[in-house]
Amino acid sequence: MKHHILLSTVALLAACQTAPVAPAPTETTTVEVIETVAPPAAPTQGQQWLYGSAEARIALKQDWNAIAAYVEAKAASRPNTSVVLAPVTEDGATAETADFLACDADQPLAAVFDADETLIWNLGSMGYFTRSGVGFDPAIWDQWEKTGAGKAVAIPGVKDAFKRIRNAGVEIIVNTNRSNTNVQGSADTLKAAGLGEFAHGQTLYLRGDAPGGSGKDGRRYMISDTYCVIALAGDQLGDIADIFNDDALTPPERKALTAAPAFDQMWGNGWFILPNPVYGPSLAGTMDEVFPESTDWAPPKAEE
Ligand SMILES: [Mg+2]
């Protein structure tokens, strides 16, 4: 190999020596070379935390252990009340008038979970968006729903929790805002992630299955026609109840609504929210909303 390199070098030198000598330039032209190479893609801090960190793996494992333990205990006590908020009256629902659906004694029990960033991490699409510098593109996401099977992974703790929930005799139902026109791709994605088989309209509900667009209450009522829902979990408040999705709410107002007594008792007690610092309505808020004025602080000035 060394010999070959030496020969090549000799040949190159010979070529240089025999090449015609270019005439000396009569004037100098400065060519500005503009760097067009895009900077290397890097995950966002939210992606680093959620998809890449040990801390997120542990947090999710803890959450899914808690969900499984809750469902096991609840199934053993056979509740007569659902954790699905009852439909709003014509006056509209408020935290004060909130009520829950009743369960018939013969209704089978179900736990209802969101899919994206609740059961699966969408590593394929998120990696693509980040590598190509695209924040989010609905058309690309639509392709992801159709073809992403095998490139989304089960969230840590979910598979073990599913075993426990199924062993407790509780049906697992997925209520996702993926489109019902892509039902096959989404069912394939859940299966490929090791989460089992889901059947459209029975254990898998998607956007378009009920009026209300991305609101999930309509689908929760459909599910409740058959099942007594004992647990709801998701990474966004809309996975729990549409009342939290009011766009007019500022982040502090939305936060306060979750702390209303009727709702506050539910967190970890039938309602479960999982961390998602990558996307969604939780990523909002001004300086004043995030840092209340009452907490304003600055280091004391050094004495002169
Ligand atoms: Mg989600």
Side-chain angles (χ1 to χ4, degrees), residues 17-222:
Q17 282 163 357
T18 56
V21 177
T26 52
E27 58 185 76
T28 304
T29 306
T30 304
V31 178
E32 190 182 354
V33 177
I34 300 170
E35 186 65 59
T36 56
V37 178
T44 64
Q45 288 189 322
Q47 290 170 339
Q48 287 174 325
W49 189 86
L50 188 65
Y51 303 139
S53 80
E55 284 82 353
R57 193 197 82 82
I58 295 163
L60 269 304
K61 182 86 186 157
Q62 290 171 169
D63 283 339
W64 277 104
N65 274 339
I67 292 169
Y70 175 84
V71 169
E72 286 170 338
K74 209 67 185 172
S77 72
R78 178 64 227 194
N80 57 12
T81 305
S82 164
V83 296
V84 173
L85 274 186
V88 299
T89 64
E90 56 190 32
D91 300 331
T94 66
E96 289 71 36
T97 61
D99 195 12
F100 293 90
L101 294 179
C103 290
D104 294 336
D106 59 350
Q107 281 187 303
L109 303 180
V112 178
F113 304 131
D114 170 52
D116 295 313
E117 276 53 49
T118 294
L119 304 179
I120 52 171
W121 279 337
N122 289 289
L123 300 187
S125 57
M126 293 306 164
Y128 177 83
F129 284 139
T130 303
R131 273 194 303 278
S132 54
V134 177
F136 181 80
D137 182 324
I140 295 172
W141 180 266
D142 188 65
Q143 290 299 312
W144 169 248
E145 290 187 0
K146 290 182 168 78
T147 66
K151 302 296 182 182
V153 300
I155 286 177
V158 172
K159 286 188 205 172
D160 286 344
F162 272 25
K163 267 187 220 150
R164 292 171 62 181
I165 292 167
R166 287 174 173 139
N167 283 342
V170 175
E171 189 76 84
I172 293 169
I173 296 178
V174 175
N175 184 4
T176 172
N177 272 340
R178 287 170 170 242
S179 171
N180 66 355
T181 59
N182 298 332
V183 59
Q184 191 59 52
S186 292
D188 289 347
T189 297
L190 293 168
K191 187 178 179 184
L195 299 178
E197 305 262 1
F198 291 89
H200 190 197
Q202 296 170 44
T203 53
L204 178 59
Y205 289 76
L206 305 102
R207 181 166 45 84
D209 285 350
S214 58
K216 292 184 170 180
D217 277 352
R219 283 171 261 156
R220 280 184 280 265
Y221 302 147
M222 288 174 80

